[in-house]
């Protein structure tokens, strides 16, 4: 009988910080090109969203901002004359805010979907399986986008609640939030609530180790800035590699005989 993910987490052994970091460096040599492609695809998909957000904002600033302080004769309007203008624009401001709110979550869902595909590629390279051509948008269709969107909403809600509690809880939820996508990718049958529950269960059990890996890998991922800023696209996805190995060494891939079971380090030497 196959164990469910919660039982696997309960029985998981402690991941080795140094071993995961070392394997991540070695594995990065194999997947850096895929990481670069995924980073560029994410950037390209984010550009239209940024344009849709900032172009109306800039246009509104110039049409209703500082230039409205003066009339055609160059005479300055006092604040009391500007209040009716603000009330006139208020419905548009509310509408713009709502549109931006939705666009941000759509963008976040798309980014999560691209990251999800990267984890899928990592497993195929790690196990020596042939890679599919393309497939970068797999998690944007087949009914997965809805789950990605809900995960983006849940991430925002959890982070917002943690921030409102004087920021310190944000450091705690940072770990389970980083585990959401990798748990989803290898457990697509789980509901959004189950994914969140599993992420917090695993994150709570090995919080300090995973937190340390996130901090170190995030710093390493930013080293690409030294290469005239363009290099950051090469190193950006390094931050996801330790998370992949944390999942592999704790929950594991029991459905795949080619994948090394947790803590079987002999084959990784």
């Amino acid at each position: 009988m196959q164990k469910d993910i919660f039982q696997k987490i309960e029985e998981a052994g402690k991941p080795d910080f140094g071993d995961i970091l070392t394997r991540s460096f070695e594995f990065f040599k194999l997947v850096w090109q895929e990481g670069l492609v995924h980073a560029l695809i994410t950037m390209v998909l984010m550009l239209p969203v940024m344009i849709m957000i900032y172009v109306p904002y800039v246009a509104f600033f110039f049409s209703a901002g500082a230039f409205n302080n003066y009339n055609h004769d160059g005479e300055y309007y006092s604040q009391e004359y500007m209040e009716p203008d603000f009330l006139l624009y208020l419905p548009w401001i509310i509408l713009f805010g709502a549109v931006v709110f939705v666009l941000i979550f759509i963008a976040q869902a798309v980014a999560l979907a691209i990251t999800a595909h990267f984890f899928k590629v990592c497993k195929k390279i790690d196990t020596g399986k042939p890679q599919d051509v393309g497939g970068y948008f797999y998690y944007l269709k087949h009914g997965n986008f809805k789950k990605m969107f809900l995960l983006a909403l849940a991430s925002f809600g959890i982070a917002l609640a943690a921030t409102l509690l004087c920021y310190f809880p944000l450091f705690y939820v940072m770990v389970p939030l980083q585990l959401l996508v990798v748990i989803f990718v290898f457990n697509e049958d789980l509901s959004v609530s189950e994914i969140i529950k599993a992420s917090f269960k695993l994150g709570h059990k090995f919080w300090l180790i995973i937190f340390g890996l996130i901090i170190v890998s995030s710093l390493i991922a930013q080293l690409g800035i030294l290469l005239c800023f363009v290099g950051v696209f090469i190193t950006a996805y390094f931050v996801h590699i330790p998370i992949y190995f944390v999942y592999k060494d704790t929950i594991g891939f029991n459905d795949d005989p080619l994948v090394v079971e947790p803590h079987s380090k002999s084959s990784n030497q």
Side-chain angles (χ1 to χ4, degrees):
M1 180 178 178
Q2 190 175 10
K3 301 176 182 178
D4 64 25
I5 187 171
F6 300 104
Q7 187 176 354
K8 291 177 184 177
I9 294 173
E10 194 69 34
E11 299 174 357
K14 183 179 179 182
D16 189 308
F17 179 93
D19 178 65
I20 288 179
L21 203 56
T22 300
R23 289 154 62 196
S24 297
F25 280 116
E26 293 300 318
F27 194 61
F28 179 70
K29 299 176 185 177
L30 302 176
V31 300
W32 72 268
Q33 290 179 317
E34 283 291 342
L36 173 60
V37 173
H38 283 76
L40 291 175
I41 290 175
T42 302
M43 183 192 70
V44 170
L45 293 177
M46 293 303 106
L47 280 177
V49 176
M50 295 181 67
I51 291 173
M52 286 188 287
I53 291 175
Y54 284 103
V55 169
Y57 174 79
V58 173
F60 175 79
F61 175 79
F62 280 101
S63 64
F67 294 105
N68 273 3
N69 291 1
Y70 298 86
N71 61 17
H72 296 292
D73 298 325
E75 297 177 351
Y76 184 77
Y77 282 122
S78 64
Q79 185 65 28
E80 60 181 292
Y81 291 103
M82 292 186 63
E83 289 179 359
D85 288 339
F86 174 78
L87 294 177
L88 179 65
Y89 286 113
L90 184 58
W92 293 105
I93 294 173
I94 295 173
L95 177 61
F96 177 71
V99 171
V100 169
F101 191 75
V102 174
L103 285 175
I104 288 174
F105 283 118
I106 291 176
Q108 180 65 15
V110 170
L112 291 179
I114 301 300
T115 302
H117 183 264
F118 180 71
F119 282 123
K120 185 178 179 181
V121 171
C122 284
K123 182 183 176 184
K124 289 194 173 184
I125 294 177
D126 190 26
T127 58
K129 285 188 172 182
Q131 298 183 53
D132 301 327
V133 178
Y136 298 102
F137 307 115
Y138 173 82
Y139 291 103
L140 292 177
K141 46 189 178 180
H142 304 296
N144 289 309
F145 181 77
K146 179 181 178 181
K147 191 171 286 187
M148 291 285 94
F149 188 80
L150 291 175
L151 285 175
L153 281 174
S155 298
F156 174 79
I158 293 169
L160 179 62
T163 302
L164 293 176
L165 296 173
C166 301
Y167 280 95
F168 289 107
L170 189 60
F171 290 100
Y172 172 75
V173 301
M174 181 192 304
V175 170
L177 290 181
Q178 288 292 318
L179 296 170
L180 287 175
V181 178
V182 71
I183 289 179
F184 160 73
V185 172
F186 303 120
N187 304 273
E188 291 186 42
D189 57 319
L190 294 180
S191 65
V192 172
S193 61
E194 289 172 330
I195 292 171
I196 295 172
K197 182 180 177 182
S199 299
F200 272 86
K201 188 175 181 66
L202 180 61
H204 177 75
K205 186 170 185 178
F206 304 116
W207 186 88
L208 188 60
I209 294 173
I210 300 175
F211 180 77
L213 287 169
I214 291 172
I215 296 299
V216 173
S217 60
S218 297
L219 292 174
I220 294 171
Q222 299 303 315
L223 291 178
I225 295 178
L226 301 177
L227 301 175
C228 301
F229 289 93
V230 179
V232 74
F233 292 107
I234 298 176
T235 57
Y237 267 63
F238 178 84
V239 70
H240 301 300
I241 298 177
I243 297 298
Y244 167 79
F245 282 113
V246 166
Y247 181 92
K248 177 180 176 180
D249 288 359
T250 54
I251 299 174
F253 309 102
N254 293 336
D255 61 313
D256 194 335
L258 290 177
V259 179
V260 181
E261 289 295 322
H263 300 293
S264 297
K265 298 180 183 178
S266 57
S267 60
N268 295 320
Q269 301 297 328

